[in-house]
Amino acid sequence: MGQDIKVIVFKLGEEEYGIEVDKVQTIERILPITRVPKTFAFVKGVINLRGVVIPVIDLRGRFGLPEAEFTEQSRIIIVAAEELEVGFIVDSANDVIDLNTDIIDSPPEVVGGIKAKYLDGVARISDERLLIMLNLSEVLNKNEIIQLESLEG
């Protein structure tokens, strides 16, 4: 018997992704982002969120997807990963659903061009709807976390 988990659903292009609610601190509209030199291309910079400096990553860039202009729907999802708060820029975040872990399959090697190491699995919500579950510890690998920690100040 699988367990039920709550998942925040967000979109990058046409694909839907999920992050477990307990890993998400808050979801914000796009805030002013301060560029930081000499970081990975997908690190957009830092934001000041209620007095806390948080590094921000463009998930499109992280996954090698084409960049897109921010829209009214664009959001920054603030997640906690290994003692570090990081913001993920996504095209939209508009849903919280309950998932049973039984419907999450192992990820195929490549999903929509995204390497399977970034994924925890794929949840089959219906015949037409798949939800790609993110593996946060890989999206933020150790070396990158060390570099991002140096941005927090």
PDB file of all heavy atoms in Angstrom, residues 3 5-8 18-24 120 133-134 136:
ATOM      1  N   GLN A   3       1.548   5.364   0.187  1.00  0.00           N
ATOM      2  CA  GLN A   3       1.012   6.406   1.072  1.00  0.00           C
ATOM      3  C   GLN A   3       0.600   7.605   0.244  1.00  0.00           C
ATOM      4  O   GLN A   3       1.068   7.789  -0.867  1.00  0.00           O
ATOM      5  CB  GLN A   3       2.040   6.799   2.117  1.00  0.00           C
ATOM      6  CG  GLN A   3       3.312   7.373   1.524  1.00  0.00           C
ATOM      7  CD  GLN A   3       4.358   7.608   2.579  1.00  0.00           C
ATOM      8  OE1 GLN A   3       4.495   6.811   3.488  1.00  0.00           O
ATOM      9  NE2 GLN A   3       5.105   8.686   2.445  1.00  0.00           N
ATOM     10  N   ILE A   5       0.635  11.476  -0.577  1.00  0.00           N
ATOM     11  CA  ILE A   5       1.482  12.649  -0.380  1.00  0.00           C
ATOM     12  C   ILE A   5       0.813  13.834  -1.057  1.00  0.00           C
ATOM     13  O   ILE A   5       0.083  13.666  -2.033  1.00  0.00           O
ATOM     14  CB  ILE A   5       2.913  12.444  -0.945  1.00  0.00           C
ATOM     15  CG1 ILE A   5       2.876  12.061  -2.432  1.00  0.00           C
ATOM     16  CG2 ILE A   5       3.682  11.413  -0.133  1.00  0.00           C
ATOM     17  CD1 ILE A   5       4.237  12.001  -3.096  1.00  0.00           C
ATOM     18  N   LYS A   6       1.041  15.015  -0.526  1.00  0.00           N
ATOM     19  CA  LYS A   6       0.559  16.236  -1.168  1.00  0.00           C
ATOM     20  C   LYS A   6       1.678  16.773  -2.049  1.00  0.00           C
ATOM     21  O   LYS A   6       2.827  16.816  -1.638  1.00  0.00           O
ATOM     22  CB  LYS A   6       0.174  17.285  -0.122  1.00  0.00           C
ATOM     23  CG  LYS A   6      -1.179  17.056   0.489  1.00  0.00           C
ATOM     24  CD  LYS A   6      -1.708  18.359   1.077  1.00  0.00           C
ATOM     25  CE  LYS A   6      -3.048  18.195   1.724  1.00  0.00           C
ATOM     26  NZ  LYS A   6      -4.046  17.537   0.906  1.00  0.00           N
ATOM     27  N   VAL A   7       1.307  17.189  -3.249  1.00  0.00           N
ATOM     28  CA  VAL A   7       2.284  17.608  -4.241  1.00  0.00           C
ATOM     29  C   VAL A   7       1.856  18.939  -4.839  1.00  0.00           C
ATOM     30  O   VAL A   7       0.683  19.124  -5.169  1.00  0.00           O
ATOM     31  CB  VAL A   7       2.388  16.533  -5.359  1.00  0.00           C
ATOM     32  CG1 VAL A   7       3.262  17.003  -6.497  1.00  0.00           C
ATOM     33  CG2 VAL A   7       2.912  15.232  -4.793  1.00  0.00           C
ATOM     34  N   ILE A   8       2.795  19.860  -4.958  1.00  0.00           N
ATOM     35  CA  ILE A   8       2.543  21.103  -5.675  1.00  0.00           C
ATOM     36  C   ILE A   8       2.867  20.850  -7.139  1.00  0.00           C
ATOM     37  O   ILE A   8       3.935  20.324  -7.470  1.00  0.00           O
ATOM     38  CB  ILE A   8       3.390  22.254  -5.110  1.00  0.00           C
ATOM     39  CG1 ILE A   8       2.845  22.606  -3.732  1.00  0.00           C
ATOM     40  CG2 ILE A   8       3.375  23.459  -6.054  1.00  0.00           C
ATOM     41  CD1 ILE A   8       3.513  23.753  -3.055  1.00  0.00           C
ATOM     42  N   GLY A  18       6.020  17.906 -10.308  1.00  0.00           N
ATOM     43  CA  GLY A  18       5.550  17.929  -8.935  1.00  0.00           C
ATOM     44  C   GLY A  18       6.700  17.985  -7.948  1.00  0.00           C
ATOM     45  O   GLY A  18       7.764  17.415  -8.187  1.00  0.00           O
ATOM     46  N   ILE A  19       6.464  18.727  -6.867  1.00  0.00           N
ATOM     47  CA  ILE A  19       7.388  18.746  -5.722  1.00  0.00           C
ATOM     48  C   ILE A  19       6.526  18.501  -4.497  1.00  0.00           C
ATOM     49  O   ILE A  19       5.462  19.097  -4.349  1.00  0.00           O
ATOM     50  CB  ILE A  19       8.076  20.123  -5.557  1.00  0.00           C
ATOM     51  CG1 ILE A  19       8.953  20.474  -6.748  1.00  0.00           C
ATOM     52  CG2 ILE A  19       8.926  20.135  -4.280  1.00  0.00           C
ATOM     53  CD1 ILE A  19       9.630  21.834  -6.622  1.00  0.00           C
ATOM     54  N   GLU A  20       7.000  17.641  -3.611  1.00  0.00           N
ATOM     55  CA  GLU A  20       6.237  17.372  -2.385  1.00  0.00           C
ATOM     56  C   GLU A  20       6.074  18.655  -1.588  1.00  0.00           C
ATOM     57  O   GLU A  20       7.017  19.438  -1.431  1.00  0.00           O
ATOM     58  CB  GLU A  20       6.940  16.308  -1.545  1.00  0.00           C
ATOM     59  CG  GLU A  20       6.872  14.929  -2.165  1.00  0.00           C
ATOM     60  CD  GLU A  20       7.595  13.903  -1.325  1.00  0.00           C
ATOM     61  OE1 GLU A  20       7.382  13.889  -0.096  1.00  0.00           O
ATOM     62  OE2 GLU A  20       8.367  13.135  -1.898  1.00  0.00           O
ATOM     63  N   VAL A  21       4.860  18.855  -1.084  1.00  0.00           N
ATOM     64  CA  VAL A  21       4.533  20.082  -0.359  1.00  0.00           C
ATOM     65  C   VAL A  21       5.476  20.311   0.818  1.00  0.00           C
ATOM     66  O   VAL A  21       5.868  21.444   1.089  1.00  0.00           O
ATOM     67  CB  VAL A  21       3.059  20.044   0.126  1.00  0.00           C
ATOM     68  CG1 VAL A  21       2.790  21.109   1.156  1.00  0.00           C
ATOM     69  CG2 VAL A  21       2.122  20.212  -1.056  1.00  0.00           C
ATOM     70  N   ASP A  22       5.881  19.250   1.490  1.00  0.00           N
ATOM     71  CA  ASP A  22       6.712  19.448   2.687  1.00  0.00           C
ATOM     72  C   ASP A  22       8.109  19.975   2.359  1.00  0.00           C
ATOM     73  O   ASP A  22       8.840  20.393   3.241  1.00  0.00           O
ATOM     74  CB  ASP A  22       6.783  18.188   3.549  1.00  0.00           C
ATOM     75  CG  ASP A  22       7.398  16.999   2.842  1.00  0.00           C
ATOM     76  OD1 ASP A  22       7.803  17.138   1.663  1.00  0.00           O
ATOM     77  OD2 ASP A  22       7.468  15.929   3.459  1.00  0.00           O
ATOM     78  N   LYS A  23       8.488  19.983   1.072  1.00  0.00           N
ATOM     79  CA  LYS A  23       9.779  20.555   0.681  1.00  0.00           C
ATOM     80  C   LYS A  23       9.657  22.023   0.262  1.00  0.00           C
ATOM     81  O   LYS A  23      10.656  22.698   0.057  1.00  0.00           O
ATOM     82  CB  LYS A  23      10.352  19.769  -0.505  1.00  0.00           C
ATOM     83  CG  LYS A  23      10.451  18.279  -0.260  1.00  0.00           C
ATOM     84  CD  LYS A  23      11.848  17.811  -0.386  1.00  0.00           C
ATOM     85  CE  LYS A  23      12.103  16.351  -0.299  1.00  0.00           C
ATOM     86  NZ  LYS A  23      11.231  15.477   0.362  1.00  0.00           N
ATOM     87  N   VAL A  24       8.415  22.501   0.124  1.00  0.00           N
ATOM     88  CA  VAL A  24       8.165  23.848  -0.380  1.00  0.00           C
ATOM     89  C   VAL A  24       7.893  24.794   0.786  1.00  0.00           C
ATOM     90  O   VAL A  24       7.052  24.512   1.638  1.00  0.00           O
ATOM     91  CB  VAL A  24       6.978  23.850  -1.364  1.00  0.00           C
ATOM     92  CG1 VAL A  24       6.622  25.262  -1.791  1.00  0.00           C
ATOM     93  CG2 VAL A  24       7.309  22.993  -2.583  1.00  0.00           C
ATOM     94  N   ASP A 120      12.402  11.888  -9.705  1.00  0.00           N
ATOM     95  CA  ASP A 120      12.109  10.824  -8.753  1.00  0.00           C
ATOM     96  C   ASP A 120      11.217   9.769  -9.381  1.00  0.00           C
ATOM     97  O   ASP A 120      11.194   8.632  -8.944  1.00  0.00           O
ATOM     98  CB  ASP A 120      11.391  11.398  -7.519  1.00  0.00           C
ATOM     99  CG  ASP A 120      12.318  11.513  -6.330  1.00  0.00           C
ATOM    100  OD1 ASP A 120      13.435  10.984  -6.395  1.00  0.00           O
ATOM    101  OD2 ASP A 120      11.911  12.126  -5.339  1.00  0.00           O
ATOM    102  N   MET A 133       7.886  13.898 -11.246  1.00  0.00           N
ATOM    103  CA  MET A 133       8.277  14.206  -9.870  1.00  0.00           C
ATOM    104  C   MET A 133       9.763  14.545  -9.827  1.00  0.00           C
ATOM    105  O   MET A 133      10.600  13.779 -10.287  1.00  0.00           O
ATOM    106  CB  MET A 133       7.988  13.008  -8.961  1.00  0.00           C
ATOM    107  CG  MET A 133       6.528  12.606  -8.921  1.00  0.00           C
ATOM    108  SD  MET A 133       5.484  13.911  -8.251  1.00  0.00           S
ATOM    109  CE  MET A 133       6.113  13.992  -6.581  1.00  0.00           C
ATOM    110  N   LEU A 134      10.081  15.726  -9.248  1.00  0.00           N
ATOM    111  CA  LEU A 134      11.473  16.173  -9.199  1.00  0.00           C
ATOM    112  C   LEU A 134      12.239  15.527  -8.061  1.00  0.00           C
ATOM    113  O   LEU A 134      11.722  15.339  -6.972  1.00  0.00           O
ATOM    114  CB  LEU A 134      11.535  17.688  -8.979  1.00  0.00           C
ATOM    115  CG  LEU A 134      11.297  18.585 -10.167  1.00  0.00           C
ATOM    116  CD1 LEU A 134      11.728  20.006  -9.826  1.00  0.00           C
ATOM    117  CD2 LEU A 134      12.020  18.122 -11.397  1.00  0.00           C
ATOM    118  N   LEU A 136      14.868  16.649  -5.826  1.00  0.00           N
ATOM    119  CA  LEU A 136      15.510  17.904  -5.446  1.00  0.00           C
ATOM    120  C   LEU A 136      16.994  17.756  -5.168  1.00  0.00           C
ATOM    121  O   LEU A 136      17.774  18.644  -5.481  1.00  0.00           O
ATOM    122  CB  LEU A 136      14.834  18.490  -4.199  1.00  0.00           C
ATOM    123  CG  LEU A 136      13.505  19.180  -4.420  1.00  0.00           C
ATOM    124  CD1 LEU A 136      12.999  19.777  -3.118  1.00  0.00           C
ATOM    125  CD2 LEU A 136      13.606  20.247  -5.477  1.00  0.00           C
TER     126      LEU A 136
END
